[in-house]
Amino acid sequence: KRIIIVLTMLAVTLAAGSAFAAGSSTINVSAAVTGTCRWVSAAGSVAFGTLDQDLQPAVTGTVTDPTFWCTNGKAYTIVDDNGLNEVGTTHQLSDGAGAVLAYTFSYTAAGTGSGKSVTLNPAISAGIVAGTYGDLPEGNYSDTVTLTINP
């Protein structure tokens, strides 16, 4: 009689356990990726070299582009501050003593990112127009242009 009671209690316990196991629950899982752009190598340069005042040819700068990445599919824009010696929107090199030399400065100002593993560059180009530096005083001319990438 005792064995029957124990077996009955065991059967009731097992039946109750399986009743609690029935049904389902929904779990919502989420994450957000913030679109961004970051400079990888922010140090770029443009070198015009030594200018020949006698012939005054047009000069194209030798460019080392900075590099950056943007979130995959994220649109970006790049703007510049026209440099330290700007007049209006004209970029100018300065000798630090008042003499200036205008130069052109352009780059790819917009695009779309492809993710952190794909580095991009602004494809900078710069030049000095022929015949614009024959009367400049001797010296070293320089400028600093700051590029800002958004977002």
Side-chain angles (χ1 to χ4, degrees), residues 24-95:
S24 63
S25 177
T26 302
I27 307 299
N28 294 319
V29 179
S30 64
V33 174
T34 302
T36 190
C37 295
R38 295 283 187 261
W39 292 106
V40 175
S41 166
S45 65
V46 176
F48 291 113
T50 302
L51 303 179
D52 180 346
Q53 284 188 299
D54 185 30
L55 300 175
Q56 296 185 68
V59 180
T60 301
T62 301
V63 175
T64 301
D65 269 312
T67 57
F68 63 96
W69 67 269
C70 289
T71 301
N72 191 357
K74 185 68 175 178
Y76 65 84
T77 57
I78 300 174
V79 295
D80 75 89
D81 67 351
N82 289 323
L84 298 176
N85 311 300
E86 72 178 289
V87 172
T89 58
T90 301
H91 291 84
Q92 296 185 117
L93 298 163
S94 171
D95 70 350

